[in-house]
Amino acid sequence: MHLSDFQIFLLLTILKIVVVLVIMLTSVAYTVLLERKVIGLIQNRWGPSRVGPFGLLQPLVDGIKLFLKEDLMPMAVERPLFVIAPVIALSCALVSISVVPFGNVFTYRGVSLFEISDINIGLLVILGITSIGVYGIALSGWSSNNKYSLLGSLRASAQLISYELALGLSLVGVVLRAGSLRLRDIVDSQSAHGALSWNIFGGPARVHGAGGTTWAIVGGFQILGFFIYLMAAYAETNRAPFDLPEAESELVAGYHTEYSSMKFAMFFMAEYANMITVSCVATLLFFGGASSPLGHLLPDNFGGTFLSAIFPILWFVFKVFCFLFLYIWVRSTLPRFRYDQLMSFGWKFLLPAAMLNIVLTSLVLAFHG
Amino acid sequence: MVPIYYYLVLAAILFCIGIGSFLIKRNIITVFMSIELMLNAVNLTFVAFAHAHDNVHGQIFVFFVMVVAAAEAAVGLAIIIAIFRTRQTLDVDSMNLMKN
Amino acid sequence: MNVNPIILSLILFTPLVGAVVLALLPDRGRIQQWAALIVTLITFGMTLHLPAHFQQAHTTAASAFAFEQNHLWIASPLIHYHLGVDGLSMWLLVLSGLLAPLGVLASWNAITSRKKLFYTLFLLQQVAMLGVFASLDLFLYYAFWELALVPMTILIATFGRTEKRRHAAIKYFLYAFIPSAVMLIAVIWLYVVTGTFDVPRLMALAAAHAIPGSSTAMWLASLAFLLAFAVKVPVFPLHGWLSDAVSEAPTAAVMVLAGKLGLYSIVRFSFGIFPEQSHRIAPLMIALGAIGIVYGACIALVQNDLKKLAAYSTLGHLGFITLGIFTFTVNGLDGGMYQILNHGISGSAMFLMMGFLYERYGTYDMRELGGIAGKFPWLVTMFVLTALSNVGLPMLNSFVGEFLILSGTAGTTLTAHPMLWTTIATTGVIFSAGYLLTMIQRTFYADLGSTTAEKPGWDMCAREHVAMWPLVILFLVMGVASPLFMRALDPIGVHYAGYTVTTESSPIRHSESESYSQTAMPKPGMVSEYASVSDTAQHRAQVLAAVGGAR
Amino acid sequence: MPTTLSNNVLALLPEYILTIVGVLIMLGEPLLPAGRTRKPLGWLAILGAIAATGVSFWQLHLGVMNAFSDSIRVDAYSIFFQVVIGAVVVISLLASLDYFEGNSSHAGEYYALVCFGAVGMMLMSCSTELLMVFIGLEISSISTYIMAGFRKGQGTATESSLKYFLLGSFATAFFLYGIALTFGATGSTNINVVAAALPHTNSPVLAVLAIAMIIIGIGFKVSAAPFHVWTPDVYQGAPPPVVGLMSTAPKAAAFAVLLRILYSGYAIDQPRWQILMAILSVLSMCIGNFGALMQRDVKRMLAYSSIAHAGYLIAAFTALPADGIAAAAFYSASYAAMNVGAFIVITLVSGYSERVRTGDDYTGLAQEHPVLGAAFSFFLLSMIGIPFTAGFFGKFYVFTAVMHSGHVKLALIGLVNSGIGCYYYLRLITRIYSTANATKSSSSADFELAAETDPALIAAPLNFPMPAVSLRIPAYVALAAAALATLALGIAPNGVLRMAQSAAIATTPANAANQITPISPSSTLR
Amino acid sequence: MQLALFIIFAVLCVVFALNFLFQRHPINSALSLIVVMMSLAVIYWTLGAEFLAAAQVIVYSGAVMVLFTFVIMLLNAGEEERTRGSKIAYIVGIPGVIAVFALLAYTFVHEHSTLGMAHLGGHLNNGVSNLEEVSRILFTDMLLPFEVTSILILVAILGAVVLARKEH
């Protein structure tokens, strides 16, 4: 059978999508388990431990439970919207992973294997899809016809809109440095000298240039931007300490009070999928993506073709895992904000700080190249 | 290969639907949204012409239109909130305090 | 010091400054009255300078106008501050100057509240009137012409006698303003085709048939002018505003309300700029004038209200003057112009007297008056004298004018039946004698009326004597020594009467009579026809070519 | 010094000043304690506006300046409109100093909005780039939308703001469509480039459609019929000082834009748009005048009158370039003077809660406040077009220009309309000068009427203390300025006229300027 | 390919625009509008304006329309009623709208030969991105509008605060 380039492209893309989806959903499931375990440990208890060894089958069982439960549909809901809201939430969460490069460039017949698509405005795509995700939450609360849900979703929408600004602005420094919105370019711009050239760090490194090897300052010094991004991202994903929309004690459970069974599971998965996306983006933008922290200490083709393709992916997964762990850690450590604190924090601290970051970065870039 | 005028006609359709709903809709917010639809139609026109002329200025114009639309939306919705506070209704037809 | 070059400006600005001063002075006691009196007297004094030096100024000046003053006002469009007088406008200036202090005296006790407003507006009104008579720039003239409406309207609206005052004021304004707006089109059109607003220049161009416009355009323009003036006069079918305005307006305002402005404008502008068209329309105007005479007199006969009676009598008199000037004979024109002055004096005297009566009895209704002849001899004497002057008794002023007009009418060649119109006009004289004498009879001699019985009344006081005597003296002087005045008016009459007369018998040149006969009387629809023609560039090119050719 | 500063700085100096002042006011507002007076901020705004106007006038000596890659062109034309806008802003600010005092907790923002709005309008008048025009238009529009709804406790105010906003944005969409089609026809949005490209365009029909759309869009902004539906409601509901501002300055700016687009951008299509403008003019005059005849509310009447005046002004567009631009410029200046003045009087008479609304309420005004009565009548007379006022000379000049290009019919319709229009002004003037009817207690009658039209007033009718007249000196100064301007434009229009004429020459395309010279005997006779 | 994309998304646009028009409930209208905007974003992308496509999603769908839905939810706007006024609007509006559309469509069809054809991605794209060109022009030729936009946004913020804030 002879396939044209386009057919190959189509087949491979579908294959990539399927693989990434499967991996993604699995990791979502196990992130849940991880969270329960870690929180359990932090709170000095075991967490899930009955189903399978160390409770490793727990997510599977949870999934089956949610799947088999009766799908309740309250009388007063706006039916179409009620159904479509979790779909929007989940699909937005899953789609944004499509522009993330998981590893180095590794092509087969012109198709890059380790990312679903390489779009020249990849960062904007992620931001755009994230911003669409608001609708899932907003509509779920509104269509539930329940005042707690509505309040929860209003809070969530307000929170999302507010923190999206800071989030977007915190990334401008990185974009300025890379001069591109393509995620691959951004990663490439920080892979030359290992951890030193990552956007978050910076320092003196030996640079091989036209005039021989010299010492130069590399890296982005975007630590301010990073922390702003981190905080804004936590708020974007409605995670503690910014998890007001689903504050059980005030709002029953926020926007998904009326949801049950699979629809509830979708929200649940969306939240964790979002966490993973956020972690991916943080990795890509500030931590060199799939590049190794060791830089040229390891040779580029270390371990042959296969391993040199796999190693970056492992690095990437490791970095993402660290972020996920951080998420869980923060959740179990910090108390929840009050609503007005949340808003004033976003508008009065994060936003100006992000702007400051932009100004500083552009000044440095203007004077220093 | 699609003739440019397809896009323009699409934009015209959207623009006219926008006008139509501006006139027909009775909820202030929807009326306001029809203006957004009209602006979107204009944007499409710009992009299509930018493509036809191979001139990026048209795209830049669209960018500004978006910014302006966002600003307008902020003000417009604030006005709508203010009017809801005094009147407790969003019906266009009840905005008739001043008819003699 | 030779004040001749600036005397007209002085005359114009004195009342204006006076108005400003009055607006700043407090409205307390009789301050306003005295100030207004002083200002008007000063103005009058200055207007007397004009006849005193008229011959001298006239012989020294090159143009037909004396006391000329010409400054550039606005460069583009080209507008000049151009003042100047000929005989007619000079005498009208003097007349206006004279009437102003009398008006103040008439209002001395009649106006009790809001005096500041009254006298300020009164002075502004005087400025506008003086401006109309003195301007020789069409734009400037138009400005004053319209300005004259405003103070009068507010005077009527504020100081009117009954609740209908606002209605009357608005009616007056609308009647005058809308035709004026149309006239403005004609003014602008004249400017566009000739490039000047200068009246002497326009008159010269007109005399040379050098105004570059199609005959239709000229017709429409002349009609626009004539309509605006005729409403202001008012000529017979356009008099709707007159009786309301006259019966509402306070005495001082009513003295200057009708007549002078419109008639002067007809003579100066309609005749001056559109001589041919004026000749063509003369038969109609003669007819209207004659009808106005009879109509006014007939209506006046059945009035119970003094003011209304006076209003219709005014209509009759103005019809007389219209008739006279449109005969385009020397006699008719001279008489008409003379009669403008006479009517200013006699009519004002009539209104003054009625105002005095009203001060005493608070009514104009003849049914409530009567029976006071014996009690107040001065009052009745003056009233009778005034009435006789209005009737046109020989030896008194109006006789001269009316006689000249009638003889002019009889001699005119512009209408097919001059004797018919003369007869009708003469009937009007008889009618007017009828209603005026009836009025005297009913007001003074009949049985004691209800009001006159109730209220004590009083004979003429010093102020009233002061106000009336100048007029009475003028009745006599103008009736006896008419050449004194006529000397300045006659050249104008001769000029207009002689305008198109190549042979004494025909006022219209033969060469042109043919083209005239093709130009029928304009139909109402012609306005639009003309406009549509003028819309085309082709027409514009024609006009420009014609203009170019003319230069 | 002029030589050392770049054009980018010099050309937009007035705008920079106003922006800085606006930002300062915004910063100052939160610093002032809540209950304190906001007047210092108002004075700051006034000083800024005066400075901006002065600088703008001074720019006249600098000649034509192009800046920001030809998107800005500062010449006599733009300066004329900028000075008009600046003057209107100064006067309106003076009038509103005491208006918002004690009535509104955020007067500071009002001053900032006025400053920013003025920046937008000034940018409109000096932009040759349609994108810049659009943004300037939006700045000015948005700030006026907000100002219209500033008394948000009142139902009418928010309603007025809403209507203004909705229809304004609707119009903006049309304007934008017009720009898009212009871009489609010529491949550029710079007026100069458009003008150069139009003769060679492959798609002239697009250009014609573009003109129509642009005219519709701007027609809304200047409240020309049939795009006037918002005007009466907005004028009635908005605070009078704001109406004074928004009925003049943004209109002047919009006319500046329209004149520039049509006469210098689309000069080649003049025969086509001229017809459109003539239709628009006639409709505006007729609808404005006949609509005004039927109004009881004074502000509403003035709204219709402003439609009529827009009609007179639009008539100037049918004239030849030099005449038409000069006439339109002069008319917008004179309309600004008289209309701002009229609304200052309304501000002073009706107060914050506006219990004086209908013509009846104005009965006897001249007795209670002789100065206000006289001033109001004067402005109304100017609107009628009585000689020796700005209104007369403006009308005269416009119709001279119109006749000069041979449109006698239009001039006739216009002047007859102004004759009809005088009725409603006159009705008000005669009311002002008649004595108040003694039988009805004026205030109670007013109150009933206000309550009938505005339920919000019933709730808190007397909470707004009327400031004593002595406290309102700035407003009287503004009134005097407006009256003087109206008088001066009527009696000695030479200076302004010369400016308008040089403005016209500045913006007529070179080829047209050769053919046309301003109205003067030489042009008509030779 | 492009034709297919165009047809799919154009039909989506029109269908949802009509849905926007005929839905009674504002939130349904809002959602329809979002779909229209997203489809337009795709069309922009096919015309070689990928930056605009992203901006369309972020600004319009992600910010402006969120604000709209937010306000609809906040004010709990209900279904609109058909009133007399809207009947008049139908009678007057629909013929007018059809006339406007006929005019526009006629013009575009009439000019179709001069307008040419669209290629996927367009000349602007050249396989890479036109972002660079957009940003270069934005910061050179269009610098002033870009900067002045800040005033516009300032005004909008000011206005939103003033109008939406409760009076004490």
Side-chain angles (χ1 to χ4, degrees), chain C residues 532-547:
Chain C
S532 63
V533 169
S534 68
D535 266 353
T536 61
Q538 186 194 358
H539 173 74
R540 164 127 190 94
Q542 282 173 358
V543 171
L544 281 174
V547 174

Side-chain angles (χ1 to χ4, degrees), chain A residues 6 78 81 84 88 119-121 123-125 127-129 131-132 134-135 137-139 141-142 150 153-155 157-158 161 164 179 181-182 339, chain E residues 1 25 27-28 31 34 38 50-51 53-55 57-58 60-67 69-70 72-74 76-77 125 127-131:
Chain A
F6 182 70
E78 298 280 329
L81 296 184
I84 211 167
I88 294 176
I119 298 180
N120 54 23
I121 47 166
L123 188 58
L124 289 183
V125 169
L127 287 177
I129 293 170
S131 59
I132 299 297
V134 186
Y135 290 109
I137 294 169
L139 292 179
W142 189 79
L150 185 65
S153 72
L154 281 180
R155 274 187 180 189
S157 320
I161 300 171
E164 224 170 73
L181 287 169
R182 186 197 295 263
Y339 188 67
Chain E
M1 170 92 161
H25 203 290
I27 203 120
N28 293 336
L31 291 176
I34 293 165
M38 301 291 275
E50 65 267 22
F51 173 65
V57 173
I58 295 175
Y60 264 125
S61 318
V64 174
M65 290 314 293
V66 169
L67 215 55
T69 37
F70 192 81
I72 294 172
M73 285 158 57
L74 191 71
N76 207 5
N125 206 339
V128 271
S129 163
N130 67 346
L131 260 182

Side-chain angles (χ1 to χ4, degrees), chain A residues 249-327:
Chain A
S249 46
E250 304 163 39
L251 295 170
V252 191
Y255 53 87
H256 47 55
T257 310
E258 299 288 353
Y259 282 89
S260 58
S261 167
M262 260 331 271
K263 292 201 208 71
F264 175 73
M266 282 179 175
F267 278 119
F268 204 66
M269 283 150 72
E271 184 179 331
Y272 285 85
N274 270 331
M275 276 167 63
I276 292 173
T277 314
V278 162
S279 307
C280 289
V281 172
T283 309
L284 290 170
L285 297 188
F286 295 99
F287 286 87
S291 65
S292 119
L294 304 174
H296 299 291
L297 295 179
L298 279 180
D300 283 352
N301 56 353
F302 173 77
T305 321
F306 183 69
L307 276 186
S308 64
I310 291 297
F311 263 119
I313 298 184
L314 290 180
W315 279 123
F316 186 80
V317 170
F318 173 70
K319 288 173 189 171
V320 170
F321 178 79
C322 290
F323 276 108
L324 289 175
F325 184 79
L326 188 66
Y327 252 114

Side-chain angles (χ1 to χ4, degrees), chain D residues 12 19 26 68-69 72 105-106 109 116 123 131-132 135 139 146 149-150 152 177 181 202-203 205-206 209, chain E residues 103-104 107-108 110-111 114-115 140-142 144-145 148-149 151-152 154-155 158-159 162-163 165 167-168:
Chain D
L12 290 182
T19 311
M26 274 182 75
F68 287 103
S69 23
I72 293 295
S105 56
H106 36 67
E109 277 108 342
F116 289 135
L123 281 173
L131 176 55
M132 205 49 242
I135 290 173
I139 295 176
I146 301 164
F150 226 76
K152 55 190 177 176
Y177 210 139
L181 293 172
N202 294 323
S203 33
V205 187
L206 281 186
L209 207 57
Chain E
L103 189 65
L104 286 170
T107 314
F108 294 142
H110 181 257
E111 301 279 338
T114 58
L115 290 168
T140 53
D141 286 3
M142 297 293 172
L144 183 65
V148 169
T149 310
I151 300 180
L152 177 75
L154 201 61
V155 169
L158 203 60
V162 167
L163 289 170
R165 186 169 61 186
E167 292 270 11
H168 334 290

Side-chain angles (χ1 to χ4, degrees), chain D residues 219-235:
Chain D
F220 263 102
K221 296 284 173 195
V222 299
S223 65
F227 317 116
H228 66 282
V229 278
W230 57 274
T231 323
D233 284 350
V234 171
Y235 282 24

Side-chain angles (χ1 to χ4, degrees), chain D residues 25-26 29 38 41 105-113 150, chain E residues 158:
Chain D
I25 293 170
M26 274 182 75
E29 164 75 24
R38 257 61 183 160
L41 299 177
S105 56
H106 36 67
E109 277 108 342
Y110 170 80
Y111 302 124
L113 281 174
F150 226 76
Chain E
L158 203 60

